[in-house]
Amino acid sequence: MTALDLSSPVAVVGTGTMGQGIAQVALVAGHPVRLYDAAPGRAREAAAAIGARLDRLVEKERLTAAGRDAARARLLPVEELTGLAGCALVVEAVLERLDVKQELLRALEDVVPDDCLLATNTSSLSVTAVGGALRLPGRFVGLHFFNPAPLLPLVEVVSGSATDVTSATRAYETARAWGKTPVACADTPGFIVNRVARPFYAEAFAVYESQGADPATIDAVLRESGGFRMGPFELTDLIGQDVNESVTHSVWRSFFQDARFTPSLAQRRLVESGRLGRKTGRGWYDHADGAERPEPHTADPAGPPAYVIAEGGLGPASELLALIREAGVEVRERDEDGGTRLVLPGGGKLVLADGRTTAEFRDVVHFDLALDYRGATRIALSHARHTSPAAVAEATGLFQALGKKVSVIGDVPGMIVARTVARIVDLAVEAVARGVATEDDVDTAMRLGVNYPLGPFEWSRRLGRGWAGELLDELHGIDPSGRCAPSLALHQYACAADEREDTP
């Protein structure tokens, strides 16, 4: 099954931001495009807005004047639904309400031919439920574009329970022909991106609610150590707290209030107070003109230790040993069964975040996971109240000697980057195990849909298949509420990498 022929008319119903963006994508790809909106005159306004954006593309030399003129000639706003007769594909981008979408689709079936592909751009509703009212549900598919649709490459192609393989394949190939990067996905709450991305927000909010660190510090650590383009607090201010919370609630309810998707009370209070982010001028941060952005906590300078003793390797942080030597700090290596830590001259121990609290140990300082310890510009440290100031100072001075800023946070098990990545990996592994998508498609979706520095499976291969499960086991042992419980799929994923005995 191939993509739709460029001569085939494509229609978009609903002319808000997403509808206009999808229409522009199809139009620039070469299709005749028809626009419809139930509000009188809205389709004509949308056509004018799209035309203006085409003008800007010409100004930026991304489109020729001739290409713009040809595209404008192919764009047709219509005032009646009957104007969509003869279309080969209709994409709806109307209000996110099941009854509204179902009523529209039933009306469309009376207008378009039986071989017309029908699609929804829903991000929160079940594709199966939306198409459930159709006479021919096999031709119905989800085409979830990301905003802004003309710029972001990812499209989740979602097959509902009744979607025919031929329909899904045609939608997939059409999205690819439009210059997008499609990923195939089964109909599950949140699809790929909105399902797997929940811990990026949830873990940051949990650290904040436990008073482990402030939003500016958490954002800085995830950016400068974790390699994420934006931190979760600044990102949700950009998205809109109400929008982000609504997606979280939708996924949580759809999974029958699974504790792993529990919404944040702190975010709920933010929404209730009307502090929705940039669009209202205030969210986690103050976005008023001239408002000062709070600085992340950064430790004062401390002297580096004269030496460190490396007991065992450092696992995912093993590259630190070379960096320490390059900084002129002596590394003394000592074999230690099960040891994966650095011992400081004063007797304190520096241990990679592993899901345990520092309160369990004497003079232990945890350090957080980094995407790339050489390239990271900030490292987070965590310690208990009873940890000696000398151990904290030596740990701080060591990382400062490596050219890193240091953020000292509270005694947070799993810290910030490590617990976030572990939970993302867990949800990704479970999604694949449940047939939602392939490993490659999950990685592609998370890199392109939310700009993650690595896909979850890429991260898992780098850290080791058993790393996420071991950390989450520790977290679940401390907090047995279920929100950090590793999935059965993650356990099986880790076991599959090891040689096992034939019998128990």
Side-chain angles (χ1 to χ4, degrees):
M1 181 63 68
T2 58
L4 293 176
D5 189 271
L6 289 181
S7 64
S8 302
V10 172
V12 178
V13 180
T15 57
T17 301
M18 282 304 304
Q20 290 183 31
I22 295 167
Q24 181 179 328
V25 170
L27 191 65
V28 171
H31 287 272
V33 174
R34 302 176 192 175
L35 290 173
Y36 171 77
D37 197 291
R42 192 71 59 81
R44 288 194 301 273
E45 293 172 3
I50 293 170
R53 283 197 290 274
L54 295 178
D55 288 338
R56 288 194 290 274
L57 291 178
V58 172
E59 293 169 5
K60 295 176 182 179
E61 298 184 348
R62 296 178 183 172
L63 184 67
T64 66
R68 173 201 58 197
D69 294 343
R72 279 181 168 170
R74 294 194 301 271
L75 183 59
L76 176 66
V78 299
E79 293 298 324
E80 300 292 338
L81 205 61
T82 52
L84 307 185
C87 285
L89 166 64
V90 180
V91 183
E92 71 81 12
V94 300
L95 188 66
E96 283 286 276
R97 274 180 42 187
L98 181 61
D99 58 337
V100 172
K101 292 181 183 292
Q102 287 184 331
E103 182 180 355
L104 167 66
L105 289 166
R106 281 193 293 264
L108 277 170
E109 275 201 309
D110 293 334
V111 172
V112 299
D114 285 354
D115 61 352
C116 173
L117 190 63
L118 297 178
T120 175
N121 185 57
T122 186
S123 62
S124 61
L125 299 175
S126 161
V127 170
T128 301
V130 174
L134 290 173
R135 175 173 51 85
L136 299 173
R139 59 163 161 183
F140 186 66
V141 66
L143 278 177
H144 181 215
F145 289 78
F146 289 74
N147 192 29
L151 297 179
L152 295 186
L154 184 70
V155 178
E156 292 177 316
V157 181
V158 186
S159 293
S161 296
T163 303
D164 292 334
V165 173
T166 53
S167 299
T169 302
R170 171 156 284 184
Y172 184 99
E173 294 300 334
T174 297
R176 185 159 62 178
W178 291 357
K180 296 301 181 182
T181 303
V183 291
C185 174
D187 185 19
T188 185
F191 308 143
I192 300 174
V193 172
N194 281 331
R195 173 181 180 156
V196 177
R198 293 343 302 156
F200 181 67
Y201 313 106
E203 295 312 304
F205 298 162
V207 172
Y208 168 73
E209 289 174 339
S210 69
Q211 300 188 44
D214 61 276
T217 299
I218 296 169
D219 277 351
V221 169
L222 282 162
R223 286 196 316 269
E224 300 171 38
S225 183
F228 292 92
R229 186 169 298 183
M230 296 181 74
F233 294 91
E234 57 190 344
L235 180 56
T236 52
D237 264 4
L238 175 64
I239 295 169
Q241 298 302 331
D242 53 338
V243 174
N244 181 262
E245 191 205 30
S246 176
V247 173
T248 298
H249 269 271
S250 175
V251 173
W252 176 62
R253 288 192 302 269
S254 297
F255 278 112
F256 307 105
Q257 301 184 6
D258 186 326
R260 294 175 301 163
F261 300 100
T262 301
S264 162
L265 181 59
Q267 188 180 41
R268 174 91 293 261
R269 294 291 179 259
L270 212 60
V271 172
E272 289 174 339
S273 67
R275 296 165 66 173
L276 307 182
R278 291 189 183 185
K279 62 187 176 183
T280 61
R282 191 173 182 88
W284 297 111
Y285 299 109
D286 186 350
H287 299 279
D289 291 340
E292 290 188 14
R293 181 72 174 264
E295 293 293 325
H297 170 76
T298 302
D300 292 333
Y307 66 90
V308 295
I309 300 172
E311 294 186 340
L314 291 180
S318 59
E319 65 180 319
L320 277 176
L321 297 178
L323 298 179
I324 293 169
R325 291 188 177 98
E326 291 169 16
V329 177
E330 180 186 357
V331 177
R332 304 173 184 176
E333 298 194 42
R334 181 166 69 196
D335 289 336
E336 185 76 14
D337 290 340
T340 53
R341 55 185 171 262
L342 296 175
V343 180
L344 300 164
K349 297 178 179 64
L350 195 54
V351 179
L352 177 62
D354 57 8
R356 296 179 291 178
T357 66
T358 51
E360 300 174 50
F361 307 97
R362 179 181 176 184
D363 279 358
V364 163
V365 177
H366 278 118
F367 66 95
D368 208 350
L369 181 69
L371 172 70
D372 168 16
Y373 282 99
R374 185 175 292 276
T377 58
R378 183 180 298 273
I379 295 293
L381 301 180
S382 174
H383 67 87
R385 292 181 180 179
H386 59 67
T387 305
S388 71
V392 178
E394 286 183 327
T396 299
L398 176 63
F399 280 104
Q400 289 174 338
L402 307 186
K404 317 300 182 187
K405 295 177 182 177
V406 174
S407 291
V408 181
I409 68 172
D411 186 10
V412 177
M415 300 195 68
I416 298 172
V417 180
R419 67 191 284 168
T420 299
V421 171
R423 290 212 55 225
I424 288 171
V425 168
D426 181 35
L427 292 188
V429 169
E430 185 184 49
V432 171
R434 291 178 178 268
V436 174
T438 65
E439 291 185 10
D440 286 345
D441 275 356
V442 170
D443 278 353
T444 297
M446 301 315 291
R447 286 197 314 270
L448 299 183
V450 278
N451 290 312
Y452 282 5
L454 292 175
F457 290 94
E458 293 173 310
W459 225 319
S460 181
R461 287 190 289 271
R462 176 181 292 195
L463 298 170
R465 277 177 172 249
W467 175 85
E470 291 169 5
L471 188 144
L472 293 177
D473 274 334
E474 293 288 352
L475 283 174
H476 183 55
I478 294 170
D479 173 16
S481 65
R483 68 176 307 277
C484 292
S487 65
L488 172 61
L490 186 63
H491 173 73
Q492 294 168 328
Y493 173 78
C495 290
D498 299 330
E499 294 287 339
R500 298 293 170 183
E501 296 292 338
D502 291 337
T503 58

